[in-house]
């Protein structure tokens, strides 16, 4: 892999992490903050828009770099600041422009690939669950250790039970559903293998 391809891959990886974080936050806000059920279609739409927005940012950066390069061409005096480019900077600016454009192109391709979007959502959802799970474990250790010392124990019991129903049981159901799907896929592969033998 050449330096240009490596730079694009690195830019895509950074954008991917940013998208995952935005999707994770969106899941948390919608399901916990707004008390909405998890909706895969809503998350697919949000994820695609997020990736396209990141692609637009990269395209804007490419266009801005292009303008800087055009202005720098033929200037041979000393520069006066960070973005006061000169002719000697045009080669580097051209390389950066191509890299920004390459990242934008790859992000647009990702946004149009349902499998990539679903994988991004799944990773974001796992991260969201990890946040919720860690928070619950931390709270359960504190609250579960000495309920007799907590004057709000009975008052907060309903909230804890609701969190159990909305979070823990939903995760368990999703886990069971994934296991059933995996078993079905394995059974289909096995059946295909038997028929082909």
């Amino acid at each position: 892999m050449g330096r240009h391809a490596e730079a694009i891959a690195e830019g895509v990886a950074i954008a991917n992490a940013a998208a995952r974080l935005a999707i994770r936050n969106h899941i948390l806000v919608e399901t916990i903050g707004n008390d909405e059920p998890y909706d895969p279609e809503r998350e697919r739409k949000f994820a695609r828009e997020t990736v396209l927005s990141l692609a637009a940012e990269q395209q804007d950066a490419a266009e801005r770099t292009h303008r800087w390069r055009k202005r720098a061409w033929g200037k041979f005096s000393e520069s006066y600041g960070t973005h006061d480019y000169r002719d000697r900077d045009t080669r580097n600016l051209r390389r950066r422009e191509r890299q920004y454009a390459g990242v934008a192109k790859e992000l647009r391709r990702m946004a149009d690939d349902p499998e990539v979007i679903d994988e991004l959502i799944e990773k974001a959802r796992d991260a969201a669950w990890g946040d919720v799970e860690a928070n619950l474990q931390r709270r359960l250790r504190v609250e579960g250790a000495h309920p007799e010392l907590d004057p709000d124990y009975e008052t907060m019991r309903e909230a804890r039970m609701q969190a159990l129903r909305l979070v823990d049981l939903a995760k368990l159901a999703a886990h069971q559903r994934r296991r059933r799907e995996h078993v079905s896929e394995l059974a289909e592969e096995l059946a295909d293998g038997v028929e082909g033998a």
Side-chain angles (χ1 to χ4, degrees), residues 25-56:
N25 291 342
H26 187 258
I27 290 170
L28 290 170
V29 167
E30 290 299 315
T31 57
I32 295 174
N34 296 337
D35 199 25
E36 293 288 329
Y38 177 78
D39 180 358
E41 282 307 311
R42 178 185 63 220
E43 296 310 325
R44 278 187 197 99
K45 181 178 183 220
F46 180 81
R48 185 172 189 282
E49 289 171 357
T50 300
V51 173
L52 287 174
S53 172
L54 291 167

Side-chain angles (χ1 to χ4, degrees), residues 103-122:
V103 172
K105 180 180 177 182
E106 179 61 16
L107 291 175
R108 285 190 297 269
R109 185 202 62 76
M110 289 169 57
D112 289 336
D113 186 337
E115 289 180 15
V116 170
I117 293 296
D118 286 346
E119 181 181 344
L120 192 60
I121 292 168
E122 191 61 33

Side-chain angles (χ1 to χ4, degrees), residues 68-79:
W68 288 340
R69 183 171 58 86
K70 291 297 181 187
R71 275 190 243 134
W73 190 79
K75 286 185 178 180
F76 297 100
S77 59
E78 289 297 315
S79 70

Side-chain angles (χ1 to χ4, degrees), residues 57-76 79 81-98 100:
E57 286 178 16
Q58 292 296 305
Q59 191 62 48
D60 289 347
E63 291 167 6
R64 186 173 49 254
T65 305
H66 178 79
R67 287 191 303 272
W68 288 340
R69 183 171 58 86
K70 291 297 181 187
R71 275 190 243 134
W73 190 79
K75 286 185 178 180
F76 297 100
S79 70
T82 306
H83 298 296
D84 186 27
Y85 296 106
R86 296 297 182 249
D87 193 80
R88 67 182 168 270
D89 300 314
T90 57
R91 183 175 174 190
N92 186 38
L93 289 169
R94 180 179 292 113
R95 184 173 59 247
R96 285 174 43 198
E97 178 186 347
R98 288 179 49 229
Y100 288 134

Side-chain angles (χ1 to χ4, degrees), residues 144-160:
H146 305 286
E148 67 279 356
L149 299 177
D150 185 359
D152 295 328
Y153 179 80
E154 285 301 320
T155 316
M156 296 304 295
R157 185 176 188 281
E158 180 56 35
R160 288 190 301 273

Side-chain angles (χ1 to χ4, degrees), residues 8 23 72 118 185:
I8 290 174
I23 297 163
D118 286 346
E185 289 172 6

